Amino acid sequence: MNLLEYLEEVLKKIKAHGYQIREEWLDGGHGGGCVLRGKKIFFSDQTLPLPERLEQAEEFLRELNTKE
């Protein structure tokens, strides 16, 4: 499995927690999860290199899993 496929798997798991996935150009390092107008959204920052986007998503997923 390559990095892009792995990122897609992590994003799918975040989505399973009820989050919409938004891939946006956020000027580096500003992605993450939030609740906006009652909707849970995870922003994946497209300005980051793929390994950093993956790290950001993995960290957020770990946080979600520890809250359960």
Side-chain angles (χ1 to χ4, degrees), residues 34-61:
C34 68
V35 178
L36 185 61
R37 296 183 184 162
K39 296 180 183 178
K40 298 191 289 187
I41 302 172
F42 177 79
F43 290 93
S44 178
D45 188 349
Q46 299 299 292
T47 61
L48 296 175
L50 184 57
E52 290 180 38
R53 288 176 30 217
L54 176 57
E55 182 180 326
Q56 192 175 64
E58 286 177 317
E59 182 178 321
F60 185 68
L61 182 59

Side-chain angles (χ1 to χ4, degrees), residues 3-46:
L3 284 180
L4 184 56
E5 291 171 332
Y6 186 61
L7 174 60
E8 290 171 356
E9 287 297 314
V10 172
L11 293 176
K12 186 185 297 184
K13 291 176 183 178
I14 292 171
K15 196 172 184 176
H17 282 273
Y19 283 79
Q20 295 178 6
I21 305 300
R22 299 264 311 262
E23 296 182 345
E24 304 284 344
W25 293 86
L26 300 172
D27 201 22
H30 300 291
C34 68
V35 178
L36 185 61
R37 296 183 184 162
K39 296 180 183 178
K40 298 191 289 187
I41 302 172
F42 177 79
F43 290 93
S44 178
D45 188 349
Q46 299 299 292

